[in-house]
């Protein structure tokens, strides 16, 4: 049984440390020290993304080896948050408790999940010095920032390999707005990209003498509403979302350049090639005059160019065992859902060749003001993770 007072205490300490992406050193130091105080020996994994951002980042990695052959279980969570927004009615760094709710920046997304696994690992380490298999617990940076850089670095540096099963304690109930407990058995993927259009300038009094890049951009955007998406039985369909349009003809000119910025969510069976084909079809339907160029965003590495979608099978033995732990701890069958956006779970689910479940707290207002998680669901998340580790490894 995880002590609720420990949940409150740890959540407050995590929330009190500002840790927006690219600024995680303080919280990494705290988490490392917390494990050391509890007789565990984590290490800091340093990485350098030199190609695009120049960022020097850190992850916390804790290896618990049972000394006997058995499954390798990866536990993953991110310690960074989004940037502070306006509109807060409580102190975003105070960990204000109101009944079963605890408020703070990152309280739900996802200091809730990190606190839950930290407490579960503390209890497991206390109760089981010898077990079958290995636990690799990873607390990463820059999940909310570009490219999922922390988890990507763990994969590319070989820190996590030969994994049999991964648990990502993102707030599955909070994200899907479903009752706790909810397990997500997959997620859509996605790519960032843009379409550049190159036209011909002319005086705004004589637009017919030019080729308006922004007019052609608008035609293409309208045709993107007619994309023929692949439908996945679990993930549904993808979504081409225009997130920005750039063009400027100055004071009185037809613009000769425009850029359509997109984020394109995909399902299993879709990738860069299917996206590009659908864009070309949209451009052909639009019958534009301008030249065009499709650019997928530059990425640090081949593996981080996009977030690939994935699903796991409900009848996978470890997936079934995790669901059984949820039932034992929570007293009811978990709801099954599929996450509609992207996260580090995509990298784990599509690049490690092992099942990944997303399971975490309930709450609301993630990426917004007055974000909160419920303490009871954090406590139960910790107990589910502990139960699964105990039943699987001992």
């Amino acid at each position: 049984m995880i002590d609720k007072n420990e949940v409150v205490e740890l959540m407050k300490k995590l929330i009190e440390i500002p840790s927006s992406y690219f600024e995680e050193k303080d919280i990494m130091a705290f988490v490392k020290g917390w494990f050391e105080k509890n007789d565990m020996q984590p290490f800091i994994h340093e990485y350098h993304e030199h190609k695009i951002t120049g960022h020097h980042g850190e992850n916390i990695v804790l290896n618990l080896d049972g000394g006997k052959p058995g499954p390798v279980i990866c536990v993953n969570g991110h310690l960074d948050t989004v940037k502070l927004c306006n509109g807060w009615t409580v102190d975003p760094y105070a960990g204000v408790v109101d009944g079963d709710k605890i408020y703070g920046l990152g309280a739900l997304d996802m200091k809730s999940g990190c606190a839950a696994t930290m407490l579960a690992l503390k209890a497991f380490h206390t109760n089981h010095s010898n077990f079958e298999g290995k636990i690799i617990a990873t607390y990463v940076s820059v999940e909310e920032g570009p490219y999922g850089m922390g988890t990507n670095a763990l994969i590319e540096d070989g820190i996590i390999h030969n994994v049999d099963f991964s648990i990502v304690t993102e707030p599955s109930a909070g994200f899907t707005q479903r009752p706790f407990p909810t397990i997500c058995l997959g997620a859509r993927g996605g790519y960032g990209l843009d379409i550049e259009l190159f036209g011909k300038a002319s005086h705004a009094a004589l637009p017919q003498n030019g080729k308006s890049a922004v007019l052609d951009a608008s035609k293409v955007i309208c045709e993107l509403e007619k994309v023929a998406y692949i439908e996945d039985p679990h993930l549904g369909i993808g979504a081409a979302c225009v997130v920005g349009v750039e063009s400027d003809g100055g004071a009185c000119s037809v613009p000769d350049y425009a850029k359509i910025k997109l984020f394109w969510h995909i399902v299993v069976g879709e990738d860069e090639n299917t996206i590009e084909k659908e864009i070309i079809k949209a451009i052909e339907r639009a019958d534009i005059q301008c030249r065009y160029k499709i650019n997928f965003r530059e990425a640090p590495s081949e593996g981080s160019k996009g977030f690939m979608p994935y699903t796991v099978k409900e009848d996978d033995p470890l997936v079934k065992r995790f669901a059984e732990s949820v039932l034992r701890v929570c007293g009811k069958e978990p709801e099954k859902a599929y996450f509609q956006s992207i996260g580090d779970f995509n990298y784990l689910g599509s690049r490690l060749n092992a099942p990944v479940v997303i399971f975490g707290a309930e709450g609301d207002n993630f990426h917004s003001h007055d974000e909160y998680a419920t303490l009871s669901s954090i406590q139960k998340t910790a107990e589910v993770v502990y139960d699964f580790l105990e039943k699987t490894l001992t």
Side-chain angles (χ1 to χ4, degrees), residues 76-96:
N76 175 273
H78 67 86
L79 289 166
D80 63 315
T81 71
V82 294
K83 305 296 183 182
L84 181 65
C85 67
N86 295 321
W88 282 82
T89 62
V90 297
D91 185 340
Y93 299 114
V96 174

Side-chain angles (χ1 to χ4, degrees), residues 13 74 76 97 115 130 137 148 161 166 181 184 191 233 238 248 257 265 272 310 312 325 330 347 352-353 394:
K13 287 179 178 176
C74 177
N76 175 273
V97 174
N130 296 301
H161 59 90
S166 293
C184 287
Y191 282 89
D248 189 353
Y257 175 80
H265 280 93
E272 284 182 81
Y310 80 97
V312 300
S325 288
C330 300
Y347 284 163
L352 295 187
N353 298 312
T394 67

Side-chain angles (χ1 to χ4, degrees), residues 66-299:
K68 302 175 185 177
V72 178
I73 308 298
C74 177
V75 178
N76 175 273
H78 67 86
L79 289 166
D80 63 315
T81 71
V82 294
K83 305 296 183 182
L84 181 65
C85 67
N86 295 321
W88 282 82
T89 62
V90 297
D91 185 340
Y93 299 114
V96 174
V97 174
D98 181 9
D100 191 37
K101 298 177 181 178
I102 185 164
Y103 288 84
L105 178 58
L108 183 64
D109 184 15
M110 64 166 290
K111 293 181 178 182
S112 59
C114 290
T117 58
M118 289 166 70
L119 292 169
L121 291 167
K122 175 188 173 184
F124 186 85
H125 178 69
T126 299
N127 296 334
H128 302 288
S129 56
N130 296 301
F131 55 92
E132 298 174 352
K134 183 178 180 181
I135 302 167
I136 307 173
T138 57
Y139 298 86
V140 305
S141 56
V142 198
E143 192 274 350
E144 299 289 6
Y147 313 110
M149 282 166 26
T151 293
N152 181 65
L154 289 173
I155 294 171
E156 295 190 346
D157 291 348
I159 302 296
I160 46 177
H161 59 90
N162 299 324
V163 168
D164 295 299
F165 187 75
S166 293
I167 307 163
V168 180
T169 49
E170 288 272 21
S172 51
F175 280 172
T176 61
Q177 295 295 284
R178 295 189 181 213
F180 183 87
T182 293
I183 301 176
C184 287
L185 299 175
R188 294 197 301 183
Y191 282 89
L193 67 152
D194 62 62
I195 308 166
E196 292 183 290
L197 297 112
F198 306 93
K200 177 186 175 185
S202 70
H203 197 285
L206 301 166
Q208 66 273 16
N209 291 346
K211 295 179 182 178
S212 173
V214 73
L215 180 58
D216 276 359
S218 66
K219 292 177 180 178
V220 172
I221 290 169
C222 289
E223 292 302 324
L224 288 173
E225 294 294 308
K226 304 171 186 176
V227 167
Y229 298 105
I230 293 174
E231 185 166 1
D232 182 271
H234 302 298
L235 301 177
I237 63 171
C241 181
V242 176
V243 296
V245 181
E246 298 175 5
S247 188
D248 189 353
C252 199
S253 296
V254 169
D256 62 1
Y257 175 80
K259 180 189 287 186
I260 305 167
K261 298 173 67 177
L262 295 162
F263 196 91
W264 197 300
H265 280 93
I266 60 174
V267 301
V268 175
E270 295 176 319
D271 56 21
E272 284 182 81
N273 293 326
T274 63
I275 291 171
E276 188 163 348
K277 286 177 182 177
E278 288 300 324
I279 290 173
I280 292 171
K281 288 179 186 177
I283 289 170
E284 290 173 348
R285 291 194 300 268
D287 192 25
I288 66 174
Q289 300 181 63
C290 296
R291 293 184 299 108
Y292 69 89
K293 183 181 179 185
I294 301 168
N295 309 298
F296 287 84
R297 72 174 184 177
E298 187 181 10

